[in-house]
Amino acid sequence: MNCRPDLHFSPERGWINDPNGLIHFKGMYHLFFQFNPYSTRWGMMHWGHAVSRDMIDWQVLPIALTPSEEYELDEKGGCFSGSAIEKDGRLYLFYTGSVIRDGRTIQTQNMAFSDDGIHFEKHPDNPIISELPPGSSDHFRDPKVFCYDGAYFMVTGCSIDGDAAVFLFASEDLVDWDFRSVLFRGEHRHGTLMECPDLFRLGGKWILTGSPEHHPEGIRSLVLIGDFDADSGRFIEQGYMPADYGYEHYAAQSFESPDGRRISFAWMNEWEWMSTFAGFSKGPDDDWCGCLTMPREFSLVDGSLRMHPAKEATERFRDGWFSRTLELSPDAHRVGLPDGCWSIEVRYSESRMQSSDLMLALVDSSGLLVSMDLNPERGYATIMCRGRGPCVIPISRHAEHSLSVFFDHCALEVFIDGGERCASFMVYPSSEDLKLEARTPQKTAYADIAIRSLQ
Ligand code: FRU
């Protein structure tokens, strides 16, 4: 069965993990990604490269970064994650060179540049940052560079005394970088190591995101909301939440689109050390492994972060498959779903229901594949995918509730109440003929359900 997604970026062959270097440069969106072209397993990281006009249809370009230098040439290392920035018409990539020498991990920050956005030259002064900042463990990686108030800043992930932390560097010319400060330290509340940090402004606040290893609450993609004091180099945390409550959303990176939207992509998988790891699933005969989320747009509403799929993705679905107000009861109402890639929009108001409990299920020839139970009265939604434990998501009460589900062969993204909560999962059906079952455990309830197929 074909499990290659239509709208989620996946490599033509080989292995993908983190999205890297997201940028709109000279009229095109550029996506770079952690890539092993030689195997469907992680190893010797390259930067794969693709360009697009709409962040959905990607044209694959030659590999942008191949490990070739002493600071990055290693079977168990390579050109690790990083970011892109444009300066004076030139595209700059910042990445971590990672090698293991005499059993020790050595990670340095490096830069490559290009004028055409296709061919990259590694900077002769690499590594541009080779000294570990004070207190840092050997894990010092994933530079994200941004411009603020006329100065360039770089955040990198690290660990200080077993505590997830983020360093801040500053530069005037993108080549000479000064260590500024420990931007943020988790004080044992946010795991042991921060990977892929990202810092940006949104709706008058600063948002710091990152993927923590061994987070005590199991958070894979952390969002911290607060302020950034550029003078002291500190992030002042005012609250935090998971970016995504599902099992497969990691190493997210954001960038600003030309029309000012804050867009994010994440890797839809997770590492073996995570508690819900279920194997880097793929079809048995596939020569590729992994995919990214669809592009998502961030917004800040009443101080809390929301994410919803970018219009470039939602526009791909067309009305007409199914659209009705259903009277639900304890007996399941069954509707056939289009092949491969589709979306479901559900709207319901508590006033039209005798219980606020709405239960949806995706069923294939082997039975229950995914169950989604929304219970605003009790304050949570529970999503369960075949063979995996329940994922419990806190939700708030509203007069009107909504659920948007996007399924793309094997990639499932769920958005609750206008993106207040999101959850991503990799799910492998055993047949194409999926059905939606909708019911409510008590008496009757009304829900508007629209199913859309891919254009
Ligand atoms: C996150 C990560 C990064 C690292 C990259 C290596 O998934 O572990 O910290 O740069 O993957 O592929």
Side-chain angles (χ1 to χ4, degrees):
M1 215 180 84
N2 170 29
C3 66
R4 164 88 68 189
D6 289 315
L7 304 183
H8 291 72
F9 181 82
S10 61
E12 288 177 323
R13 65 195 151 74
W15 160 274
I16 187 174
N17 54 287
D18 316 347
N20 294 154
L22 299 171
I23 192 165
H24 190 268
F25 177 71
K26 295 193 175 161
M28 298 292 273
Y29 289 102
H30 287 250
L31 162 69
F32 302 85
F33 50 93
Q34 288 289 279
F35 182 42
N36 182 0
Y38 305 113
S39 157
T40 53
R41 288 287 176 265
W42 188 91
M44 174 86 86
M45 281 292 107
H46 295 57
W47 274 39
H49 188 193
V51 288
S52 169
R53 293 206 177 276
D54 60 6
M55 300 187 280
I56 300 291
D57 289 326
W58 294 97
Q59 179 198 346
V60 175
L61 293 182
I63 289 173
L65 298 176
T66 299
S68 59
E69 309 301 315
E70 165 64 19
Y71 50 82
E72 59 193 18
L73 197 53
D74 197 313
E75 285 291 320
K76 293 203 159 48
C79 303
F80 276 18
S81 283
S83 58
I85 194 167
E86 176 179 354
K87 179 175 182 275
D88 303 328
R90 181 169 268 194
L91 182 57
Y92 293 83
L93 303 183
F94 292 85
Y95 66 99
T96 300
S98 188
V99 291
I100 299 177
R101 300 283 181 256
D102 302 324
R104 189 169 167 202
T105 298
I106 301 174
Q107 301 194 321
T108 56
Q109 313 316 322
N110 298 282
M111 188 254 273
F113 56 91
S114 166
D115 291 324
D116 64 5
I118 299 175
H119 306 94
F120 291 87
E121 201 174 312
K122 290 175 186 163
H123 198 278
D125 292 351
N126 279 347
I128 51 169
I129 305 176
S130 55
E131 212 176 297
L132 286 173
S136 178
S137 76
D138 292 342
H139 295 273
F140 164 47
R141 56 176 176 264
D142 309 335
K144 177 85 198 286
V145 173
F146 61 97
C147 185
Y148 173 60
D149 235 1
Y152 293 102
F153 292 97
M154 175 196 288
V155 289
T156 63
C158 69
S159 173
I160 302 176
D161 290 336
D163 208 6
V166 178
F167 290 132
L168 182 73
F169 292 80
S171 170
E172 281 174 9
D173 60 2
L174 296 176
V175 181
D176 285 324
W177 290 89
D178 291 327
F179 172 68
R180 261 293 177 82
S181 56
V182 176
L183 175 84
F184 173 80
R185 188 168 169 175
E187 309 297 352
H188 306 299
R189 296 179 306 128
H190 290 308
T192 54
L193 167 70
M194 195 68 87
E195 296 191 311
C196 302
D198 193 357
L199 179 66
F200 54 90
R201 259 158 90 89
L202 187 77
K205 287 277 165 206
W206 282 87
I207 309 290
L208 176 62
T209 67
S211 277
E213 280 197 2
H214 307 116
H215 194 280
E217 295 161 40
I219 296 178
R220 298 158 186 81
S221 286
L222 180 67
V223 173
L224 298 143
I225 302 170
D227 277 318
F228 169 50
D229 179 354
D231 294 330
S232 65
R234 300 270 182 276
F235 178 82
I236 303 108
E237 182 194 334
Q238 291 160 355
Y240 73 93
M241 59 187 282
D244 187 290
Y245 287 80
Y247 295 148
E248 274 103 16
H249 185 278
Y250 199 76
Q253 184 175 103
S254 76
F255 72 108
E256 196 178 314
S257 64
D259 57 0
R261 291 174 292 159
R262 181 53 59 173
I263 303 284
S264 148
F265 284 82
W267 175 40
M268 278 188 79
N269 233 327
E270 57 179 26
W271 295 113
E272 280 148 280
W273 52 265
M274 291 179 174
S275 53
T276 57
F277 178 74
F280 292 119
S281 310
K282 62 184 185 76
D285 303 322
D286 290 338
D287 56 1
W288 61 277
C289 181
C291 70
L292 305 182
T293 58
M294 298 191 297
R296 288 186 188 176
E297 186 181 337
F298 279 121
S299 57
L300 201 64
V301 180
D302 299 333
S304 103
L305 195 76
R306 293 197 186 181
M307 285 170 107
H308 53 84
K311 63 177 189 309
E312 287 85 345
T314 53
E315 279 167 5
R316 292 300 179 105
F317 296 91
R318 86 168 153 236
D319 291 335
W321 184 270
F322 182 91
S323 177
R324 276 197 13 222
T325 300
L326 292 184
E327 184 181 326
L328 302 176
S329 70
D331 294 328
H333 200 108
R334 275 196 160 203
V335 186
L337 290 163
D339 281 350
C341 184
W342 42 260
S343 76
I344 306 175
E345 280 297 321
V346 182
R347 278 177 201 286
Y348 66 101
S349 56
E350 288 191 36
S351 60
R352 292 168 78 199
M353 305 180 72
Q354 285 162 339
S355 126
S356 74
D357 200 356
L358 184 73
M359 301 168 100
L360 300 174
L362 305 178
V363 176
D364 68 6
S365 58
S366 313
L368 183 65
L369 180 67
V370 180
S371 65
M372 292 170 277
D373 184 353
L374 287 113
N375 200 326
E377 213 172 296
R378 291 212 203 119
Y380 56 81
T382 308
I383 302 184
M384 193 130 92
C385 299
R386 181 182 289 154
R388 310 180 77 179
C391 175
V392 179
I393 306 170
I395 55 174
S396 328
R397 290 193 81 163
H398 298 288
E400 278 253 317
H401 289 281
S402 73
L403 176 76
S404 308
V405 180
F406 294 85
F407 185 73
D408 188 4
H409 294 265
C410 61
L412 177 72
E413 295 191 55
V414 179
F415 300 85
I416 300 171
D417 291 335
E420 265 182 26
R421 302 284 184 258
C422 333
S424 306
F425 305 89
M426 295 303 284
V427 177
Y428 296 87
S430 44
S431 59
E432 297 269 9
D433 56 338
L434 285 187
K435 292 193 175 51
L436 169 71
E437 286 186 358
R439 63 194 177 93
T440 182
Q442 287 153 26
K443 301 193 182 152
T444 52
Y446 295 91
D448 301 324
I449 300 189
I451 300 172
R452 297 191 174 93
S453 55
L454 198 61
Q455 306 234 349

